[in-house]
Every structure is written in structure tokens, then in C-alpha cells.
């Protein structure tokens, strides 16, 4: 199977950034007056000192969070778990015990040190899921190297921009993606001088192989590094904003170690659990919530590189998977596809969906067929990545559950900025040790999102009387395609490069399977004839798969805009 097909099938999640879950609609009011707040379900009451200082806290008591680097936090655990199986590559059968994984991480960190990589240097991974990806993540975060990750569906232009913006000095690339890396370098003069190494997962003449690094003796592993967990960046995934291009999210050691500990009271992995890692490791969901969350508690991680129905179901049956992390398209498949009945997937004890809304009706359909509840969570890359998690028991269908401990939230009226109480709809803001350090080289965007320690998510919702959060809408205009984030402004910028386009606007169209799909509205250049097929082909050739115009192309005489020039997308939506 071609990598292109693999990436398209894997597009059940994205670079992006926000894990946010289902909707429900208990009573909702917009920006009313707020009175006192009392909750029955929570083990402690919400704070509410005044109508303008209403703070929601977790029903779970705060825990003692260790102020450690990821090296200090993870490596001793690998030693403790010993000969338990840690990683299994479902594609080729390769396995690592925890001790073997620890040794491989040390050898890899040592080899990178020999190549000249030091604390604070940036290394980039371009790959689909595999054991090498897991090892590189662990080797970088434990040796002080900042790892930035890219969507394997990137075009060469998108990749070149990412490599330059992140300050990458070396690339590790899956063999089949090497042509994209080569094209990105050839098209960019700066990259020809800044990239020191290209390391290939697989064998390729003229390139250093990843397997060669694993033959290092481990003696140069930098185990004497001094970390500042609060300030030192560990991972640099990229997240699309409401406008413009993707932004580098600086996640510190403290951010990640905190979030790994914060999620455990609501969702702990047991030593005898087997977890399927199908969701991409370039995203916070895959690299933190699935990979590192599993390994901190000694579980077994079975890694799949792509979503292929038979392989997916066969892996669950063969490996007796007990914890399944999903996105809504996977839940839809399991709820409706007839092939599911031909496999035994009864071993799954925990079903968790995130990354995009999972409607209440689909949740009930899923539970009716699989005879087990599906719980949901909410978060975003900027929150390392988890903010809320539902629990079993009890089960709060239609919600994303309560806050994780050591965090707080508030709901603010987008018009007045006033704090709102339970049942009142506004923008969700989160505060806690898992809030990112900021956006790389983008102080303005950082200040716009983080104010007085509060991260303004751009998502709209409310808190129920039982303390569970419901996400109902979003302020931001991102299109959510199967969990991937598509910034309309990025596509509009691309479309305006076409000689046949005079003006353009992009909106998301509702879609049962994908959540939303991009649709373009085009004002054609009167001096050059252009067809919808040509526009779609242009985007296909210049943007990643999840950004394609699956919602179609429509032609207009004029794009509706406000006096200040802002596109009035609501008018376009009303035209649908």
C-alpha cells in the first residue's frame, strides 16, 4: 500500500491541536446574571466569591505533582517494569521489553550526542507510527533535545516552512517520506545550510540509518544534564491557530510530567493492560496521552501505522487490547460496520474518544452494539494535552467529564468578559501546570491566548450541575476534519495564489463521518476562465490531504465582508 493511502487512512486525527469532545444540551443561557453556585456531585464545591470571580475546580482532590524532568520521571520506571513487554510493532512484529526500550533510548541519546546534538537543539521527526518513532520521542525528551513533529501528509512547501520556523538542525525521516524532505531542502536555500543530518528509518544509500544509531554503545548518553522542568522545552508539536499558519507549541518538562500525573486519578493504565496506538505520534494525543501515559504505568503498547479495517480489528483480537483510544470516525466504524461482528474485540475494558465531537446519538449507538460505555475527554495541544476526562463509573454521556485535578476553569461571556456560572454558555478558559509555555517566536499569539495565567481555549461550552463540562461550539473558525485542524485563512491564502482566483473564502461544511469538510467560495478572475475541478486540483497538489476541498467549490460575484474587511462566514453558511 502506498504511503499516500496510509496517510489518508490515518487521517482520523491531526497536527493539530485541540482534542475536543461531544456536545449535549442541558439548560443554556447566554451571559445572564450569576448567583451563588453549589454542586452536588463534586467532592468539593466550586469556588464563587463574586459574580465576576467564578472559578470551577475538579471534584478530585489535588495531587502532589513531582517537579521532575521527563528523564527523571520516566527512566526509573522503565527499570522498575523490567522484562514486561513495552512496545509491539503490529506491522513487523518487532518488540521491546521495558529494559530493552530503556537501553535503546540510552543508545539513541548517546548516538545523537556523538553527532553533536545538545540540550536545546531541535530535531524533527517525519514519519508514520512505528517503534522507531516511540524510541526517538523518549530519547529526545530524556537527553534534552527538543523534538518537533510533522504531519507525514505535508507537502514539501509545508514541511520547509515547519523546518525553518522550528529551527530544526536535523531530520529523522521514514524512508518513503525521504523524497518530500529532499524536495523541501532543494527548494529552500536556508535549509541547505541549517540541516546537519538526515537520518533515515530504513536503509538508503548515502544516508545514515536509524538502526545504525541503535548500535551505539550508550556511553555518551548525557545523563549529567541539569534540567529546569518549568522552563526547558521538551516537545514542540505544531498547532493551527484561528488565522494564519501553524504555530509551534512549546511544551515544557513540567507541562508534560504534570499532565501525565493529572490524568491518572481518572484514567489509570494497569500493568496488564494492552493499549492500541493507532492515532499519530506527531500529535499530542498520540505522543503524550497514549505513548507516555501507557509507559508511565507499565502497560503494553501495540503500534499501528495506519487505519485499515481488517488490520485494526485483527490487532485488537490478536493482542487482546484492553484500552482503546479513539476519534469519532473510529467510533462510527465500530458502531456500524458489519465486519466488526466477525472479530472478537470483547477484551476492551476502556473505550475513550477524543479529538473531535462525538455526538450523543452515536455514543448510544456505539454502546448498544459494543455493550460498553464510551467516555470522552477534552483538551488541546496547548494543554499538554488533557483538560477534562469522564470516568467510569459513573458515566456522563454527552459530556467531556470533569476537570482533571490541580487545574481550574472559568466560563466567560465572549461579549462582556464576565464570569458565568453552571448552565451558562461562554468561552472555556483553563489554568494549571499543564498550560503551555507559549508559542515559539510568536509573543503576540501567546499573549492573545494566555492572559493572567488563563488559557483562552476559543471553545464555547458550559458546566452542568454535576460538574461535567459540555462543549457546544467554538469561537475559533477552525475546520475540524476527522480531528485534523484546517485553518480557513491558510487555504484562502493558497487559493489566492491561483491566477484564476480573484477572491476566496473557506468554511467548514457539516459531514457525518468527518465532522466538517472544507468548502471554497471563489470570485473568479474575469480575465481568466477557471473551473471548480481546476481549483480542487490546485489545492490537492499544494496542500495536505486533510485540507482538500471535499465540500466542493462554489463561485460568487463577491465574498461578503464587514466594513473592516473581515469575511462574514455566517452569511456563507446560511447560503448552504
Amino acid at each position: 500500500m502506498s504511503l499516500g493511502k496510509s496517510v489518508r487512512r490515518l487521517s482520523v486525527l491531526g497536527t493539530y491541536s485541540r482534542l475536543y469532545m461531544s456536545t449535549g444540551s442541558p439548560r443554556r443561557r447566554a451571559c445572564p446574571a450569576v448567583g451563588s453556585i453549589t454542586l452536588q456531585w463534586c467532592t468539593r464545591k466550586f469556588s464563587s466569591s463574586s459574580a465576576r470571580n467564578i472559578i470551577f475546580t475538579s471534584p478530585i482532590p489535588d495531587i502532589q505533582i513531582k517537579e521532575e524532568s521527563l528523564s527523571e520521571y520516566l527512566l526509573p520506571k522503565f527499570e522498575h517494569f523490567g522484562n514486561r513487554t513495552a512496545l509491539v510493532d503490529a506491522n513487523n512484529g518487532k518488540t521491546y521489553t521495558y529494559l530493552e526500550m530503556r537501553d535503546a533510548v540510552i543508545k539513541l541519546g548517546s548516538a545523537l550526542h556523538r553527532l553533536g546534538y545538545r540540550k536545546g537543539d531541535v530535531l524533527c521527526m517525519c514519519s508514520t507510527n512505528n517503534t522507531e518513532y516511540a524510541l526517538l520521542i523518549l530519547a529526545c525528551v530524556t537527553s534534552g533535545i527538543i523534538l518537533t513533529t510533522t504531519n507525514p501528509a505535508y507537502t514539501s512547501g509545508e514541511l520547509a516552512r515547519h523546518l525553518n520556523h522550528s529551527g530544526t538542525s536535523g531530520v529523522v525521516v521514514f524512508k518513503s517520506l525521504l523524497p518530500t524532505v529532499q524536495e523541501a531542502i532543494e527548494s529552500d536555500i536556508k535549509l541547505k545550510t541549517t540541516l546537519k543530518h538526515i537520518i533515515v528509518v530504513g536503509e538508503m544509500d548515502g544516508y545514515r540509518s536509524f538502526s545504525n544509531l541503535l548500535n551505539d554503545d550508550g556511553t555518551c548518553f548525557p545523563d549529567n544534564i541539569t534540567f529546569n522542568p518549568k522552563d526547558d522545552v521538551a516537545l514542540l508539536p505544531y498547532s493551527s491557530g484561528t488565522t494564519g499558519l501553524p504555530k509551534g507549541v512549546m511544551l515544557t518538562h513540567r507541562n508534560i510530567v504534570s499532565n501525565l500525573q493529572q490524568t491518572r486519578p481518572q484514567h489509570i493504565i494497569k500493568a496488564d493492560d494492552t493499549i492500541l496506538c493507532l492515532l499519530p505520534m506527531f500529535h499530542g494525543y498520540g505522543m503524550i496521552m497514549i505513548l507516555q501515559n501507557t509507559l508511565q504505568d507499565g502497560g503494553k503498547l501495540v503500534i499501528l501505522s495506519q487505519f485499515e479495517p481488517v488490520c485494526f480489528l485483527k490487532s485488537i483480537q490478536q493482542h487482546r487490547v484492553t484500552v482503546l483510544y479513539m476519534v469519532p470516525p473510529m467510533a462510527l466504524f465500530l458502531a456500524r460496520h458489519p465486519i466488526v461482528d466477525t472479530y472478537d474485540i470483547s477484551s476492551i475494558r476502556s473505550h475513550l474518544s477524543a479529538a473531535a465531537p462525538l455526538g450523543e446519538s452515536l455514543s448510544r449507538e456505539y454502546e448498544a452494539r459494543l455493550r460498553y460505555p464510551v467516555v470522552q475527554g477534552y483538551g488541546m495541544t496547548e494543554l499538554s494535552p488533557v483538560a477534562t476526562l469522564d470516568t467510569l463509573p459513573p458515566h456522563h454521556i454527552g459530556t467531556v467529564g470533569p476537570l482533571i485535578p490541580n487545574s481550574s476553569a472559568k466560563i466567560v461571556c465572549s461579549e462582556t468578559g464576565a464570569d458565568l456560572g453552571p448552565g451558562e454558555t461562554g468561552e472555556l478558559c483553563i489554568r494549571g501546570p499543564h498550560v503551555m509555555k507559549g508559542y515559539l517566536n510568536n509573543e503576540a499569539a501567546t499573549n492573545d491566548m494566555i492572559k493572567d495565567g488563563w488559557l483562552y481555549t476559543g471553545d464555547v461550552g458550559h458546566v452542568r450541575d454535576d460538574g461535567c463540562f459540555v462543549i457546544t461550539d467554538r469561537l475559533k473558525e477552525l475546520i475540524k476534519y476527522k480531528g485534523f485542524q484546517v485553518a480557513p485563512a491558510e487555504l484562502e491564502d493558497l487559493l489566492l495564489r491561483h491566477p484564476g482566483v480573484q477572491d476566496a473564502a473557506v468554511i467548514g461544511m457539516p459531514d457525518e463521518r468527518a465532522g466538517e469538510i472544507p468548502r471554497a467560495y471563489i470570485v473568479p478572475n474575469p480575465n481568466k476562465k477557471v473551473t471548480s475541478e481546476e481549483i480542487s486540483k490546485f489545492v490537492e497538489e499544494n496542500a495536505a490531504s486533510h485540507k482538500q476541498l471535499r465540500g466542493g467549490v462554489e463561485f460568487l460575484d463577491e465574498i461578503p465582508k464587514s466594513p473592516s474587511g473581515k469575511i462574514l462566514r455566517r452569511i456563507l453558511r446560511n447560503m448552504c
Side-chain angles (χ1 to χ4, degrees), residues 5 203 238 250 270 287 523 549:
K5 291 182 179 178
E203 302 298 325
Y238 270 63
M250 296 186 289
K270 300 176 182 177
M287 76 170 76
V523 176
L549 299 177

Side-chain angles (χ1 to χ4, degrees), residues 63-81 141-142 227 229 253-254 256-264 292-293 295-297:
I63 59 174
Q64 183 67 41
I65 292 180
K66 300 178 180 178
E67 291 287 340
E68 296 179 324
S69 69
L70 280 160
S71 179
E72 295 167 320
Y73 184 70
L74 291 175
L75 288 181
K77 294 178 182 291
F78 299 166
E79 176 83 22
H80 173 73
F81 297 135
V141 300
T142 56
F227 286 99
H253 289 261
R254 181 176 186 256
I256 299 167
V257 171
S258 295
N259 206 237
L260 289 173
Q261 295 176 75
Q262 286 172 293
T263 58
R264 294 182 79 247
Q292 295 180 56
N293 185 53
L295 299 181
Q296 74 170 334
D297 286 316

Side-chain angles (χ1 to χ4, degrees), residues 38-318:
T38 303
L39 291 172
Q40 302 301 318
W41 179 69
C42 296
T43 56
R44 50 183 177 159
K45 306 209 185 284
F46 290 159
S47 304
S48 75
S49 58
S50 73
R52 290 192 174 274
N53 186 28
I54 303 171
I55 308 300
F56 301 96
T57 56
S58 174
I60 300 169
D62 284 352
I63 59 174
Q64 183 67 41
I65 292 180
K66 300 178 180 178
E67 291 287 340
E68 296 179 324
S69 69
L70 280 160
S71 179
E72 295 167 320
Y73 184 70
L74 291 175
L75 288 181
K77 294 178 182 291
F78 299 166
E79 176 83 22
H80 173 73
F81 297 135
N83 290 317
R84 294 179 189 167
T85 301
L87 304 174
V88 177
D89 193 318
N91 301 305
N92 58 30
K94 186 184 301 181
T95 66
Y96 287 87
T97 66
Y98 273 87
L99 287 179
E100 290 169 339
M101 179 179 67
R102 180 208 60 184
D103 291 346
V105 166
I106 290 174
K107 290 179 179 180
L108 186 54
S110 174
L112 292 171
H113 192 81
R114 290 184 198 276
L115 290 177
Y117 293 95
R118 298 294 185 265
K119 179 186 174 186
D121 288 342
V122 180
L123 193 64
C124 179
M125 182 60 158
C126 305
S127 179
T128 52
N129 286 3
N130 46 51
T131 52
E132 289 85 355
Y133 209 141
L135 294 176
L136 184 66
I137 290 172
L138 297 171
C140 286
V141 300
T142 56
S143 61
I145 299 169
I146 299 171
L147 183 69
T148 189
T149 56
T150 66
N151 187 335
Y154 270 176
T155 63
S156 59
E158 291 168 324
L159 179 60
R161 191 263 172 188
H162 184 117
L163 296 175
N164 275 316
H165 185 268
S166 61
T168 293
S169 57
V171 177
V172 178
V173 57
F174 194 70
K175 181 179 178 179
S176 58
L177 289 172
L178 181 58
T180 305
V181 174
Q182 293 170 324
E183 187 177 337
I185 296 172
E186 286 302 315
S187 66
D188 192 289
I189 296 175
K190 182 179 179 182
L191 289 178
K192 292 179 180 179
T193 59
T194 56
L195 289 182
K196 296 188 295 186
H197 303 98
I198 298 176
I199 301 164
V200 179
V201 178
E203 302 298 325
M204 181 66 72
D205 290 343
Y207 291 90
R208 191 184 305 272
S209 71
F210 190 91
S211 59
N212 179 262
L213 301 187
L214 291 175
N215 291 327
D216 190 273
D217 63 10
T219 56
C220 281
F221 181 79
D223 55 4
N224 59 346
I225 293 178
T226 299
F227 286 99
N228 182 336
K230 185 177 180 180
D231 291 328
D232 289 344
V233 176
L235 292 170
L236 186 64
Y238 270 63
S239 169
S240 295
T242 54
T243 59
L245 296 168
K247 298 183 284 292
V249 179
M250 296 186 289
L251 298 181
T252 67
H253 289 261
R254 181 176 186 256
N255 290 153
I256 299 167
V257 171
S258 295
N259 206 237
L260 289 173
Q261 295 176 75
Q262 286 172 293
T263 58
R264 294 182 79 247
Q266 285 144 289
H267 184 77
I268 191 167
I269 299 298
K270 300 176 182 177
D272 58 353
D273 273 329
T274 298
I275 293 85
L276 187 67
C277 183
L278 169 62
L279 306 177
M281 292 184 188
F282 69 78
H283 186 274
Y285 196 174
M287 76 170 76
I288 301 174
M289 183 60 186
I290 300 178
L291 172 66
Q292 295 180 56
N293 185 53
T294 296
L295 299 181
Q296 74 170 334
D297 286 316
K300 179 198 296 184
L301 194 71
V302 177
I303 300 171
L304 272 177
S305 63
Q306 64 185 45
F307 179 78
E308 194 282 318
V310 171
C311 186
F312 169 62
L313 294 169
K314 184 178 179 181
S315 294
I316 295 175
Q317 177 177 279
Q318 177 184 342

